[in-house]
């Protein structure tokens, strides 16, 4: 019996220690998103306006040291912007207002300072994220006017980006923390399939960009 009780005590201590290494929370991220347009000069293809959006989701920090964590989660983000171009087909508009939604998984390292004031730490985040397109609108419509096809068909589903950010974290209870920070998201992948395939533009690319305010709580 003593051996069983000792084994249960060791198991409980191990589980408690393991659970203390993982912090789970939620966050809300208002953002300014834009599209980086790149094409030969002859198409007059360029980014015109940014887009306000909001995203959020699950935050998971797995600590592998006192001040070091692997940061991941599952988040819904809003991206897009307005682009303009010069088309040879007169029936085409020369401007598109693009709105995109992605489901993303961040893959980052988070570095925490020691307390700079009571119960307050700074953090720095660096890494990347991968995701997939889940919804799209062009000029506010789910179906694009030129052919009646879904707007989402005009974009490549996978996306990837570099992510960098910093912020502050404040402990408000035994295991409860709130945080606020800024993050920059630099898209790496071309997400356009419309301009090259439909309008026969050569060497055209659209890449996402985003600056976000990250507000959240961890339990």
């Amino acid at each position: 019996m003593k051996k069983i009780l000792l084994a249960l005590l060791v198991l409980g201590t191990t589980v408690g220690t393991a659970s203390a290494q993982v912090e789970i929370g939620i966050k809300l991220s208002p953002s300014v998103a834009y599209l980086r347009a790149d094409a030969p000069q002859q198409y007059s293809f360029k980014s015109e306006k940014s887009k306000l959006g909001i995203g959020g989701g699950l935050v998971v920090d797995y600590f592998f040291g006192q001040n070091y964590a692997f940061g991941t989660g599952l988040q819904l983000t809003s991206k897009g912007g307005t682009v303009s171009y010069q088309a040879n087909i007169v029936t085409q508009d020369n401007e598109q207002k693009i709105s995109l939604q992605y489901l993303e998984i961040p893959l980052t390292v988070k570095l925490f300072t020691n307390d700079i004031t009571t119960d307050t730490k700074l953090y720095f985040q660096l890494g990347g994220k991968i995701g997939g397109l889940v919804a799209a609108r062009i000029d506010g419509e789910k179906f694009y006017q030129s052919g009646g096809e879904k707007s989402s068909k005009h974009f490549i589903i996978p996306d990837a980006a570099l992510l960098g950010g910093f912020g502050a974290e404040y402990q408000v209870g035994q295991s409860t923390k709130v945080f606020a920070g800024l993050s920059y998201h630099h898209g790496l992948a071309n997400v356009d399939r419309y301009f090259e395939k439909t309008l026969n533009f050569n060497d055209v690319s659209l890449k996402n960009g985003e600056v976000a305010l990250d507000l959240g709580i961890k339990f």
Side-chain angles (χ1 to χ4, degrees), residues 193-213:
R193 70 160 42 127
Y194 170 73
F195 292 99
E196 187 166 353
K197 288 191 174 182
T198 303
L199 297 186
N200 296 318
F201 285 6
N202 295 318
D203 300 321
V204 169
S205 72
L206 276 178
K207 296 180 181 180
N208 285 306
E210 181 186 10
V211 178
L213 174 64

Side-chain angles (χ1 to χ4, degrees), residues 71-93:
T72 185
L74 185 64
Q75 296 155 18
L76 187 67
T77 60
S78 178
K79 302 181 183 182
T82 300
V83 296
S84 63
Y85 58 95
Q86 182 64 50
N88 294 323
I89 305 173
V90 296
T91 57
Q92 298 289 327
D93 295 334

Side-chain angles (χ1 to χ4, degrees), residues 31-48:
S31 66
V32 177
Y34 57 93
L35 291 165
R36 304 192 330 269
D38 185 30
Q41 188 175 1
Q42 67 201 62
Y43 302 126
S44 300
F45 189 62
K46 57 185 178 180
S47 177
E48 294 287 350

Side-chain angles (χ1 to χ4, degrees), residues 32 34-36 79 104 126-130 159-165 183-191 206-212:
V32 177
Y34 57 93
L35 291 165
R36 304 192 330 269
K79 302 181 183 182
E104 298 182 322
L126 185 64
K129 60 181 183 176
I130 55 175
D159 193 21
L162 296 176
L163 189 162
S183 58
Y184 171 66
H185 310 254
H186 183 82
L188 299 175
N190 173 36
V191 298
L206 276 178
K207 296 180 181 180
N208 285 306
E210 181 186 10
V211 178

